[in-house]
Amino acid sequence: MITTVDGVPVHYTTHGTGPGLLLVHSAGADNATTFGQLQDRFTDRYTVIAPDFSGSGGTPLPDEPLTVDLLAGQVAAVAREVTDQPFDVVGFSMGSIVAAALAAAHPERVRRLVLISCWNRGDDPRQQRLLALWHRLADLDPQAYARFTALSVFSGPFLAQAGHEAMDEIVALITLGTGVRAQMDLATRMDISDRLEHITAPTLAIGAAQDHWVPVSHARETAQRIKGCYYEEVDSGHMSVFERPAEVAELVAAFLDA
């Protein structure tokens, strides 16, 4: 399905029945890739709303540079297209920043909020240098970019247990395109630290203890800055929705179904 937001056709799918559950995916992937191991765990009691924001899946880039507000506006418009009732929101990685911005801007629409592998600002010197290297490798050597990304976003134990063939399959999934580059650029500019105090929805933040991409201290800080936020942590790299899908789904379900 498609809805048009500020002239951009935004692709989305829906699955299941019940109250709305909006899933906001990460940079460099679409909704199906990000939440493929989780969404079926909720379709028996929620209408799972799965949009692809600009640069991913079937949704093209706009003429102007990407912003947090632009992406938040796209996923909010999709949710409004599906339901006129308040809905729950789950965001992963960069999608957690978009989800948090949506909750801050539209508190009357967001019933509950879950932020997975989250952060709220990008001024950490280590993170800035890691993202700069990520950008540089994308320009110089796409294969090295893919390998570096895989080694950074997954934990060492997960990759060691995966084996050579699975590791090669993971690397093959990490590709470059115009949309990915635009999302990479946005990731270096994101800062919603001044919006966290405006989030009023009950919130759960889930950090990843072995996160080398965005250190887990960022998730802990984000949770501390949102009033009344619950915090949980899983023993995983940044890609907790892939490394620990059952555990993450259980935490999300316990929070949303409470």
Side-chain angles (χ1 to χ4, degrees):
M1 290 176 276
I2 293 176
T3 189
T4 300
V5 184
D6 296 328
V8 176
V10 180
H11 174 267
Y12 70 96
T13 61
T14 61
H15 311 270
T17 58
L21 173 58
L22 175 67
L23 304 181
V24 189
H25 64 83
S26 62
D30 58 15
N31 214 303
T33 302
T34 299
F35 292 109
Q37 298 188 70
L38 269 68
Q39 69 175 18
D40 288 346
R41 301 170 188 264
F42 297 93
T43 52
D44 62 329
R45 58 202 186 280
Y46 293 95
T47 298
V48 176
I49 307 165
D52 295 331
F53 55 61
S54 271
S56 291
T59 304
L61 292 171
D63 293 332
E64 68 269 24
L66 294 183
T67 66
V68 174
D69 291 327
L70 185 150
L71 300 186
Q74 289 181 344
V75 298
V78 168
R80 287 195 297 268
E81 181 90 359
V82 176
T83 178
D84 59 2
Q85 299 298 311
F87 48 85
D88 298 332
V89 185
V90 177
F92 169 68
S93 189
M94 193 173 88
S96 70
I97 295 182
V98 176
L102 167 59
H106 301 285
E108 76 289 352
R109 297 289 289 161
V110 177
R111 183 172 53 186
R112 286 166 295 190
L113 175 67
V114 180
L115 309 174
I116 306 171
S117 295
C118 55
W119 76 99
N120 63 82
R121 55 189 174 84
D123 58 358
D124 177 338
R126 175 195 170 279
Q127 187 179 357
Q128 287 181 336
R129 284 159 178 78
L130 183 144
L131 290 174
L133 177 58
W134 191 42
H135 272 258
R136 185 64 173 155
L137 287 174
D139 293 333
L140 294 176
D141 187 338
Q143 184 68 12
Y145 157 84
R147 291 174 177 171
F148 171 76
T149 303
L151 291 169
S152 300
V153 299
F154 292 98
S155 69
F158 176 81
L159 292 176
Q161 293 172 7
H164 292 288
E165 184 175 343
M167 180 69 181
D168 289 341
E169 291 175 356
I170 290 171
V171 170
L173 290 172
I174 302 172
T175 59
L176 274 169
T178 304
V180 176
R181 291 177 184 274
Q183 293 168 4
M184 289 168 63
D185 176 67
L186 175 59
T188 65
R189 298 183 280 107
M190 284 183 152
D191 185 343
I192 60 162
S193 55
D194 60 344
R195 308 188 196 191
L196 300 181
E197 65 186 76
H198 300 295
I199 295 174
T200 59
T203 302
L204 169 66
I206 302 175
Q210 299 188 55
D211 195 337
H212 304 300
W213 190 252
V214 181
V216 69
S217 58
H218 287 254
R220 294 169 183 164
E221 177 199 299
T222 300
Q224 290 172 354
R225 298 186 64 173
I226 298 174
K227 185 176 180 180
C229 182
Y230 299 93
Y231 181 75
E232 298 283 354
E233 201 163 289
V234 296
D235 186 21
S236 168
H238 186 71
M239 303 299 286
S240 57
V241 294
F242 292 94
E243 290 193 34
R244 301 276 185 170
E247 185 177 353
V248 171
E250 185 177 346
L251 290 171
V252 174
F255 178 71
L256 296 182
D257 296 345

